[in-house]
Amino acid sequence: MVDCAVYVDGRRQSDQCTYKDALAEVRERQEGFVWLGLLEPGVELMSDVAKTFGLHTLAVEDAVKAHQRPKLERYDDILFLVLRTVRYHEHELNTVAEIVDTGEIMVFAGPDFAITVRHGDHTELAGVRKDLEADPKQLTLGPGAVLHAVADRVVDSYVEVTAAIEEDVDAMEEAVFTPANKIEIEAIYQLKREVVELRRAVKPLQLPLQVLTHDTSLPLPKEIRRYLRDVTDHHTAVTEQILDFNESLSALINAALAKVSVQQNTDMRKISAYAAMAAVPTMVAGVYGMNFEHMPELSWTFGYPAVIALMVALCAGLYANFHRNKWL
C-alpha cells in the first residue's frame, strides 16, 4: 500500500488510517471518498481489499496478474479501467536497443472510493495526487476525478513519448537519405518494433475513452465526461501519429534496402571494370608467353617496350571509357 486518504469537500483528511478505517469513516460521514494507492499488490492483499470494498473477483484477478489490454469494465456501480503506461529510453541513433518500456495502471472507481493499482517502476501517481489535492474543486467531483486525472496523466505521457520517437524517426529518415551515409537496417527494424509495441499500448484505449465520454448511463458526473473529451482528443491525435510512424518506418526500410541494392550494383560495376582492365594485359602477355617461333615483332629490338605500351594504352582507354560511363 503506497498511500491511503479520505477526501471530504475536496480536502484531504487525517492520514493515520488503514483502508478499512478510511472506508468506515467515509460511510459514517456519508460524504467524501477514499483514495487507496497500491503498487503491485499480492493475492492476499488484493483479496482483502476486494472484500473490504466489494470488488468483483474477475477484476481483482486482472489487478494482480497485470499484462492486460487497455479496457473498461463495469460491475454494477463500480468502474474498472485498465491503462498501459509507457516510458521512453534515451539511446544513440542507429543502435539496436530497447526504446519503449511499458507498465500498467488499473483504476477502480466506486461510489465512495477510488483504488489505483500500479505495475511497473515508472508509473508513479504521487504527482497526480499532489495536483488533485491542490485543486479541491476538482476533487469534489469524487472518484471520477481520480479516474480522469490518471487517464489524463497517462495520455500526456503518450504525447511525450510520441514526440521523442518522432525525433528518432526524423533523424533516421535523414540518415537513410544522406548520400554516402551507412545505415544499419537492424536499427530501423528495432525502431519499428518499438513503435508497434507503443501502438499496442496506446490504440486499445480508444474504445474505453469513447465509452467513458459518451455513455451517459455510467456512474460519472457530467463534468468529468467533459474533461474526458479533452483526453480523448489527445489520445486520438497520438494514435494517428503512431500509425504515421509505422508507415514512415516501413517506407524507410524499403528505401534503405533499395540504397543497399544500388550500392551493391555500383560495387559490382567497379569490380567488373577493373576485371576488364586486368584481362587485356593478361591476354596480351598470355599470347606473347607462348613458345612459337614466328611471333609478330619477336625479333624487333623495341618489341617488348611496344607491347608494354600497347597494354598501357588499352588499359587507359578502358579506364577512360568506364569513367565516362560512371562505372569508376
Side-chain angles (χ1 to χ4, degrees):
M1 188 176 72
V2 178
D3 198 356
C4 179
V6 173
Y7 296 89
V8 178
D9 294 329
R11 300 192 180 279
R12 183 169 181 145
Q13 306 302 302
S14 174
D15 294 339
Q16 304 299 325
C17 63
T18 65
Y19 54 83
K20 292 181 180 180
D21 293 337
L23 184 62
E25 179 182 345
V26 166
R27 291 180 174 172
E28 182 179 352
R29 286 171 174 263
Q30 294 186 350
E31 61 177 347
F33 69 96
V34 180
W35 183 355
L36 172 64
L38 302 174
L39 174 62
E40 298 181 358
V43 176
E44 184 177 350
L45 174 59
M46 200 64 210
S47 297
D48 189 56
V49 170
K51 182 179 179 181
T52 302
F53 291 90
L55 307 180
H56 196 279
T57 306
L58 293 176
V60 172
E61 183 179 349
D62 289 343
V64 173
K65 291 184 177 180
H67 303 294
Q68 304 294 319
R69 281 173 55 88
K71 62 180 180 179
L72 174 68
E73 294 180 349
R74 179 179 181 178
Y75 300 96
D76 297 327
D77 57 352
I78 299 176
L79 295 179
F80 176 55
L81 177 65
V82 179
L83 307 103
R84 295 289 300 277
T85 60
V86 296
R87 178 176 59 180
Y88 177 81
H89 289 283
E90 296 291 342
H91 65 284
E92 296 181 4
L93 185 65
N94 281 345
T95 58
V96 180
E98 185 179 7
I99 301 173
V100 177
D101 186 22
T102 61
E104 288 182 47
I105 295 179
M106 290 93 165
V107 181
F108 294 89
D112 53 8
F113 65 86
I115 303 173
T116 54
V117 182
R118 302 188 286 115
H119 291 268
D121 58 357
H122 64 280
T123 58
E124 294 87 355
L125 293 177
V128 176
R129 190 183 287 262
K130 183 178 180 180
D131 291 343
L132 275 178
E133 289 177 352
D135 187 5
K137 182 179 178 181
Q138 186 74 4
L139 270 177
T140 56
L141 296 175
V146 176
L147 186 145
H148 161 261
V150 172
D152 186 48
R153 179 60 59 88
V154 170
V155 172
D156 284 346
S157 70
Y158 294 165
V159 174
E160 295 172 1
V161 172
T162 303
I165 290 183
E166 182 178 18
E167 294 180 2
D168 288 341
V169 173
D170 290 342
M172 191 75 73
E173 185 175 15
E174 182 179 354
V176 168
F177 291 104
T178 298
N181 190 25
K182 186 177 181 181
I183 184 72
E184 298 292 339
I185 297 180
E186 293 83 358
I188 306 178
Y189 273 113
Q190 175 68 19
L191 183 56
K192 183 177 174 62
R193 191 182 74 174
E194 295 299 312
V195 168
V196 170
E197 183 176 355
L198 178 62
R199 185 184 64 186
R200 289 173 179 170
V202 173
K203 194 174 185 302
L205 185 59
Q206 186 172 15
L207 182 58
L209 287 177
Q210 290 177 350
V211 173
L212 286 170
T213 303
H214 298 100
D215 190 349
T216 57
S217 66
L218 295 179
L220 284 175
K222 182 178 180 181
E223 191 67 18
I224 292 297
R225 289 201 300 274
R226 289 174 177 170
Y227 285 121
L228 284 169
R229 290 195 194 103
D230 183 62
V231 177
T232 303
D233 290 341
H234 292 168
H235 180 270
T236 300
V238 169
T239 302
E240 292 175 352
Q241 196 170 11
I242 292 173
L243 293 176
D244 290 341
F245 291 160
N246 192 44
E247 294 178 0
S248 297
L249 289 172
S250 296
L252 283 181
I253 291 174
N254 293 332
L257 290 173
K259 187 176 181 180
V260 170
S261 179
V262 170
Q263 184 61 45
Q264 289 176 342
N265 291 336
T266 301
D267 294 341
M268 287 302 300
R269 286 191 300 181
K270 289 183 179 180
I271 293 171
S272 299
Y274 285 119
M277 288 189 293
V280 170
T282 301
M283 181 188 67
V284 175
V287 170
Y288 276 87
M290 298 179 183
N291 295 322
F292 292 113
E293 183 177 351
H294 302 287
M295 295 287 292
E297 312 299 341
L298 192 62
S299 59
W300 185 35
T301 303
F302 299 103
Y304 176 75
V307 171
I308 295 298
L310 175 64
M311 289 190 291
V312 172
L314 290 173
C315 290
L318 287 172
Y319 179 84
N321 183 60
F322 289 138
H323 186 72
R324 183 171 59 254
N325 290 283
K326 297 182 178 180
W327 279 43
L328 292 174

